Amino acid sequence: MIRVLVVAAALGLGLAGASAAAEPLSIAPHTFLLRGHFESGRQPDGNSVVLVAPQGLVVVDTGRHPAHTQALLDFALERGQPVAAIGNTHWPLHDIGGNPRVRAAYPEARVHASDAIEGAMGGFLANYRRQLQQLLREAGDDAGKRAPFEAELAILDAGPALAPDRVVKDSGPVALAGLALHLGLARRAATAGDVWLYDASTRILIAGDLVTLPAPFFDTACASGWSAAMAELEAVPFETLVPGHGAPMGRAAFGRYRAAFGQLLDCAAGDASATHATSGTIE
């Protein structure tokens, strides 16, 4: 598995920001999307999806920055429904960073995710912590420079509050807060364990960072496992796919994305011409 960590702050970019998040918008019956954002000078938030279930709300990925997570909590308050369950598609901080805040507000909510965060805490995220600590030393007493690094460390320090209560060990049907869903588990794909969710009632597939726009994230990826996961996603009878980052897409757009992804892997392996490698890009 590739283990290349690029810290945005090392490139002169901040890690935290105070910009407000929009409210979740309806994309299907009982389904709402809070878009994540890439903004200059700050680390991203991933997309969050809220499913209205018989026993409360199911929040899929909780974002990183307080404003993003607060928008999810405000949504729950406005609807007068508790967050009954949390699903994390994988462990990067742009998807799990809001877990502690949501769990503090709704202690009965249980987090469903793979166990891959265990390895990440001792590997990728441990390395990230060391880099943040170095950046803090370099920032000295400058409170403005220190604040974003301290915010990231505070997320890492939440430790168990980031991790799942219910480990997803296999793909299969599940009921979250009384809503029938299918959970898929992809091993050694975008990370060591990626979870995706499918709601057959709306034919919406929540793919997490198995699909990201404008480009895939390769810093924790295994090419062969990811390619296999793409094939599994295409076999799901979805009408709309919600990626980990970017706008929802239909089957045709996902087909182009998957083709471009495969051609990139072929080209990297020396099995495709440059012309072939660019022929499937998404416009």
Side-chain angles (χ1 to χ4, degrees):
M1 180 174 289
I2 299 171
R3 290 294 184 186
V4 179
L5 176 60
V6 177
V7 180
L11 303 177
L13 302 179
L15 288 164
S19 59
E23 64 181 19
L25 298 177
S26 176
I27 57 173
H30 70 253
T31 307
F32 296 81
L33 171 64
L34 177 63
R35 285 282 301 271
H37 294 282
F38 286 100
E39 296 179 15
S40 176
R42 71 199 298 257
Q43 289 276 42
D45 291 293
N47 286 336
S48 296
V49 179
V50 182
L51 305 173
V52 180
Q55 298 167 12
L57 305 180
V58 178
V59 175
V60 183
D61 293 332
T62 57
R64 168 191 242 116
H65 298 297
H68 184 101
T69 308
Q70 189 61 48
L72 298 171
L73 295 174
D74 290 344
F75 181 81
L77 287 173
E78 290 167 4
R79 292 191 63 91
Q81 294 176 283
V83 176
I86 300 166
N88 288 146
T89 56
H90 64 173
W91 54 258
L93 300 189
H94 55 250
D95 291 322
I96 69 170
N99 284 9
R101 289 170 58 85
V102 177
R103 296 173 93 160
Y106 298 98
E108 299 302 315
R110 295 293 176 260
V111 176
H112 301 255
S114 80
D115 59 4
I117 191 172
E118 296 177 9
M121 280 295 192
F124 188 96
L125 292 175
N127 187 31
Y128 184 40
R129 177 187 291 277
R130 287 190 290 271
Q131 294 189 50
L132 289 168
Q133 290 168 336
Q134 177 60 36
L135 291 166
L136 277 174
R137 288 191 288 271
E138 294 173 2
D141 296 329
D142 189 321
K145 290 182 178 179
R146 294 179 62 87
F149 311 134
E150 291 171 341
E152 289 287 276
L153 283 171
I155 296 175
L156 293 175
D157 288 342
L162 301 171
D165 305 290
R166 304 286 187 267
V167 175
V168 178
K169 298 180 179 180
D170 298 291
S171 298
V174 67
L176 297 185
L179 179 64
L181 299 168
H182 181 94
L183 295 188
L185 176 64
R187 289 291 188 186
R188 293 181 58 80
T191 69
D194 299 287
V195 174
W196 51 268
L197 300 88
Y198 177 62
D199 184 351
S201 69
T202 58
R203 300 187 69 180
I204 285 184
L205 171 61
I206 305 169
D209 280 13
L210 291 171
V211 181
T212 61
L213 296 172
F217 297 160
F218 290 114
D219 52 353
T220 58
C222 174
S224 60
W226 202 342
S227 183
M230 288 281 198
E232 291 181 1
L233 294 183
E234 191 157 52
V236 176
F238 69 87
E239 290 182 354
T240 302
L241 182 150
V242 181
H245 299 264
M249 63 178 71
R251 295 198 67 90
F254 174 70
R256 292 193 295 272
Y257 183 95
R258 185 188 173 199
F261 180 87
Q263 290 164 10
L264 174 63
L265 298 186
D266 289 344
C267 187
D271 297 331
S273 67
T275 300
H276 175 71
T278 59
S279 63
T281 54
I282 298 176
E283 297 180 357

